[in-house]
Amino acid sequence: RRAGIQTIALGAGDTIASALFRGGVRTFSRSFKYHRRRGLYCLTGDCPNCLMTVDGEPAVRTCCTPAAGVQQVARGAGWPSAERDVLSILWRLRRFMPVGFYYKSMIRPRWLFPIAERVIRRIAGLGPVPRQPSKSTKERLNHHPDVVVIGAGIAGLSAALAAAEGGEQVILVDEGAIGECIAAGALRDRICTLRDALSGHSSVTILERATAVGIFEGPLVPVAGEDLLHLVHPRRIVVASGAVERHAVFPGNDLPGVWLGRGASRLAGVHGLTPGRVIVVATNTLEGLRHLDVLCRHAGRQRDAAVVAALVPAALASRVPAGVEVIADGTVVAASGSGALHSVVVEAAGHRRTVPCDTLVLSLGLEPRDGLL
């Protein structure tokens, strides 16, 4: 660490976010308007918390960007730094800054708004945009398969395999590496088995770390790869882009230390990092119980970490690992902390209590990731 620069050591398979977390970074960004502190949350690229400037490019999703080869990472907002941001005082002044306040309160005198606009833009940015032209150029490559499958989870892999076994030309697209987000276990083993079966088909082209950016008439599916822009002209399209975990609404739900289940499970099971020392898990799904198992196994190997409580439906209480307090039919009412989580308020059987913790993991159902449709 020198002159504001910190050197981060990489672990095998690290993303930028996991490498930074391993190096002790907990504040990854500041909220767009009020400059509230943001920590890692979903680790699936579905939230803005980990957006950072990477090698001069702003707003990069560091949770799904490999760390190998990256030279410099900076947080895009915060003065004098994102860690100690003077502008976080804006949260205390929120009653004076409702939605659209700058359009309503600064229109008179007319000369004031251009000045205020420059200040607002400076405060609300996600990092400076490079003004020089990009040095990279991407060649275009056209494909004409029978089927394009977008998403390489269980559904997408199964659809691609069925089409290939039916004698069709298939392109399978996934914005990450297949299976990289899944902790070791039966689910990952199944994904790897399907992937290996697909790799043996000469009629299948697999595009990893490639993002389908839209579906257009034709049909046409542009896919942005690392080195190529793939223009896919299929006869049929299968969208298997899956779902994102549901975001719970309660005071303090954006504090660093509040995680979605998939993010916490990936950090522990894939990157070997414990999301915190004192962990509370709230779930009402079977997938959430798998996340709980991963966290318990990993915390059990650490001296100073433990899952202390699990909020689950009474019908699932028997599936909670031994040693974890069960709060049957409990719900999270609020999360508290100054800059980071230090406790949660839970309610069960009509009674409320405060549970001290530095990590809250939420796995409360799914919402479809259906933007392409």
Side-chain angles (χ1 to χ4, degrees), residues 41-64:
Y41 181 57
C42 73
L43 264 65
T44 55
D46 291 295
C47 80
N49 286 20
C50 71
L51 294 179
M52 304 178 84
T53 300
V54 177
D55 290 339
E57 181 180 352
V60 174
R61 298 180 300 169
T62 57
C63 72
C64 49

Side-chain angles (χ1 to χ4, degrees), residues 83 249 255:
E83 196 66 45
V249 179
L255 284 169

Side-chain angles (χ1 to χ4, degrees), residues 253-267:
N253 66 352
D254 64 340
L255 284 169
V258 178
W259 296 74
L260 289 183
R262 292 178 177 181
S265 178
R266 177 181 182 182
L267 191 77

